[in-house]
Amino acid sequence: MALFSSSVRLWLLPNAVLLVALSIWGALRYPHLPGRIPKHIGVDGVDAWTDRSIGSAFVLVFVYAGMTVLMAGCAELTLWLTPRDELSNADADAAPFAGARAASSLLNRPASRASARRIARAVLLLDTCIGMSFLAGCAVLWRSTPNPNVPGWLLVAMLLPLLVGTAVTVAAAVSDRKR
């Protein structure tokens, strides 16, 4: 039995490739990292340092792996839900207040199977965008010299993919609510 449906596995492919690329890049960079690496990057650059370890050097990779599992699970659950257009209204006639209960149970359901697929794809695209943002963070984390200065492009490179992924996900959800 497959862990995820075929449509989720297909849309997980970019995330898996990005996760493998981050892991390989980190494994190649790890021996060349200095003894102290950035722990926190503030507005003025690196403002906290930590000793180099597998956990500290690969924290973004581990977080991204966890996010990928979480987002894939959310996408799969979205596809498992029975859409509003497939629910039967037979329960509404069964009891006087059944209609109100049925209406409240529809609040978080996709409008249709096509809508569920769009939302699942948008969630997995958001995960890809999170990975691209982490890729930019790794470029600073895995520098071979302990430099407190952070390039000006880092903020844009980390925020832009997140904004794009969030916009696509919100657009998919809003378009579902209009149906």
Side-chain angles (χ1 to χ4, degrees):
M1 181 176 122
L3 185 59
F4 296 112
S5 63
S6 60
S7 57
V8 169
R9 283 194 309 265
L10 176 67
W11 282 87
L12 263 177
L13 190 58
N15 301 317
V17 168
L18 191 53
L19 187 57
V20 167
L22 277 170
S23 300
I24 291 172
W25 183 30
L28 293 173
R29 292 294 311 137
Y30 187 77
H32 306 288
L33 294 178
R36 299 195 41 84
I37 60 175
K39 179 179 181 180
H40 183 264
I41 300 171
V43 292
D44 294 328
V46 178
D47 56 12
W49 300 85
T50 188
D51 292 331
R52 178 183 76 174
S53 69
I54 298 291
S56 63
F58 286 89
V59 66
L60 291 177
V61 177
F62 297 150
V63 169
Y64 182 54
M67 287 294 300
T68 300
V69 170
L70 178 69
M71 298 290 233
C74 289
E76 189 67 34
L77 287 174
T78 300
L79 295 174
W80 283 1
L81 285 173
T82 304
R84 288 188 307 253
D85 66 356
E86 292 179 14
L87 288 176
S88 121
N89 289 331
D91 294 335
D93 300 329
F97 299 107
R101 281 193 305 266
S104 69
S105 71
L106 300 178
L107 291 178
N108 292 320
R109 293 184 181 275
S112 64
R113 291 280 171 205
S115 179
R117 283 190 298 275
R118 272 192 303 278
I119 292 170
R121 279 186 236 135
V123 166
L124 293 174
L125 176 67
L126 175 59
D127 187 51
T128 303
C129 292
I130 290 169
M132 292 169 58
S133 177
F134 284 4
L135 184 68
C138 288
V140 171
L141 182 65
W142 294 337
R143 294 186 290 190
S144 53
T145 57
N147 185 354
N149 297 324
V150 176
W153 55 261
L154 181 65
L155 181 64
V156 173
M158 289 189 80
L159 286 181
L160 189 61
L162 295 176
L163 292 173
V164 169
T166 302
V168 169
T169 305
V170 168
V174 167
S175 114
D176 176 62
R177 291 293 158 212
K178 291 182 179 178
R179 295 172 193 264

